[in-house]
């Protein structure tokens, strides 16, 4: 981190004379090429989400989350209503533009307008959404909203340090690993060390360019296979 020096010869952070607190994210619709994000609504999305998540073979997708798995529709709908009512976390449903169905959710959370910081979390993708162009684009749409529309300075990703798939996803999406918070959380009756990742505003243009290149139609073959990996396109000049 760059710094300057005060009148006492102490190193201090670079001044931000024009900084103003940023606006809170709103329950807006965010449109993409393959998917769109809609503010979570039980009435609009509840049935489709429950059906999509029910396609999973077992409950392993919920191991590192604070809620679920849900064994009845009533149990899930009650949880979804809590999600809909919340503004931090602010939950979005991921909608397949082709079918119009909700296939998963993710949220903006730990929102700090004063500092220009927010986190993506509660990422819960059904088997119909995992490892698809829509899944990658959903993350891109939220990042673009945070950096380009709202002008935030820092966008975070946190996960259980033992959640290897989440750690790999963070690295693939362009987050930089920052370290471990030991014994940070107690959940599900067990301890958790938390891994921290972030993207900051100075890194965003390169991260954004990688997403745009990867999501372009010409990066996919006729059968939908990627021609170039996201990491490679982000690093290419």
């Amino acid at each position: 981190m760059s710094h300057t020096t005060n009148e006492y010869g102490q190193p201090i952070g670079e001044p931000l004379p024009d900084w103003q607190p940023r606006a809170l994210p709103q329950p807006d619709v965010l449109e993409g090429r393959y998917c769109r994000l809609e503010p979570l609504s039980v009435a609009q999305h509840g049935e489709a989400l429950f059906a999509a998540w029910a396609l999973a073979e077992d409950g392993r997708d919920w191991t590192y989350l604070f809620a679920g798995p849900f064994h009845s529709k009533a149990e899930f709908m009650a949880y979804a209503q809590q999600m809909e009512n919340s503004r931090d976390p602010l939950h979005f449903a991921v909608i397949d533009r082709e079918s119009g169905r909700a296939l998963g959710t993710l949220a903006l959370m730990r929102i700090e307008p004063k500092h220009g910081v927010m986190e993506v979390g509660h990422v819960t993708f059904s088997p119909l959404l995992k490892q698809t162009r829509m899944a990658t684009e959903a993350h891109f749409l939220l990042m673009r909203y945070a950096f380009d529309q709202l002008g935030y300075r820092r966008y975070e990703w946190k996960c259980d340090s033992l959640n290897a798939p989440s750690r790999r996803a963070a690295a693939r999406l362009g987050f930089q690993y920052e370290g471990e918070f030991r014994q940070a959380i107690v959940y599900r009756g067990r301890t958790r060390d938390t891994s921290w990742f972030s993207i900051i505003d100075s890194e965003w243009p390169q991260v954004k360019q990688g997403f745009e290149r990867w999501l372009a139609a010409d990066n996919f073959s006729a059968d939908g296979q990627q021609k170039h990996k996201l990491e490679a396109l982000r690093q290419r000049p």
Side-chain angles (χ1 to χ4, degrees):
M1 176 178 133
S2 61
H3 63 267
T4 185
T5 303
N6 68 8
E7 64 268 33
Y8 309 111
Q10 298 168 305
I12 58 174
E14 293 290 342
L16 297 173
D18 300 322
W19 173 257
Q20 295 291 328
R22 293 330 195 208
L24 283 167
Q26 299 300 310
D28 296 331
V29 175
L30 307 178
E31 294 282 357
R33 182 193 298 264
Y34 308 107
C35 74
R36 67 177 174 272
L37 303 185
E38 296 180 355
L40 181 65
S41 162
V42 174
Q44 294 180 43
H45 310 125
E47 293 279 349
L49 287 172
F50 182 75
W53 285 330
L55 296 174
E57 294 182 0
D58 53 38
R60 71 184 60 205
D61 290 343
W62 304 91
T63 296
Y64 300 109
L65 297 172
F66 288 84
F70 302 99
H71 302 294
S72 71
K73 185 182 293 186
E75 182 186 8
F76 167 72
M77 291 298 185
Y79 175 68
Q81 190 62 62
Q82 294 177 18
M83 295 167 70
E84 179 180 345
N85 294 341
S86 172
R87 286 298 173 266
D88 188 355
L90 179 63
H91 295 271
F92 293 86
V94 184
I95 311 299
D96 177 357
R97 289 188 60 129
E98 192 170 300
S99 69
R101 295 171 58 195
L103 302 181
T105 64
L106 72 175
L108 295 172
M109 56 185 286
R110 295 170 62 97
I111 303 161
E112 296 283 354
K114 179 180 179 181
H115 306 296
V117 177
M118 68 173 74
E119 175 183 347
V120 60
H122 294 272
V123 180
T124 316
F125 290 172
S126 75
L128 297 174
L129 183 56
K130 287 182 178 181
Q131 298 181 335
T132 66
R133 280 178 271 187
M134 292 182 290
T136 297
E137 187 177 50
H139 281 291
F140 171 59
L141 293 175
L142 273 194
M143 287 186 203
R144 188 174 65 182
Y145 182 52
F147 285 115
D148 289 351
Q149 290 184 241
L150 298 178
Y152 276 58
R153 305 176 64 231
R154 174 180 168 88
Y155 190 78
E156 299 176 337
W157 177 294
K158 304 186 187 79
C159 64
D160 191 311
S161 64
L162 300 176
N163 187 351
S166 183
R167 294 170 62 97
R168 289 195 297 268
R172 175 181 176 270
L173 293 170
F175 289 85
Q176 300 296 311
Y177 173 66
E178 296 182 330
E180 305 292 314
F181 275 36
R182 299 178 300 163
Q183 297 186 184
I185 291 174
V186 175
Y187 77 139
R188 295 186 180 270
R190 62 181 188 252
T191 187
R192 181 178 112 167
D193 294 354
T194 296
S195 298
W196 283 56
F197 301 81
S198 74
I199 298 170
I200 58 175
D201 53 0
S202 60
E203 298 162 347
W204 170 239
Q206 184 176 3
V207 173
K208 178 181 179 180
Q209 184 178 72
F211 276 115
E212 291 174 337
R213 289 171 167 175
W214 190 86
L215 291 165
D218 61 8
N219 187 44
F220 295 91
S221 62
D223 62 355
Q225 297 300 308
Q226 67 175 358
K227 297 178 182 178
H228 304 283
K229 292 184 176 181
L230 177 59
E231 300 94 314
L233 293 174
R234 183 168 60 246
Q235 296 164 3
R236 183 177 298 173

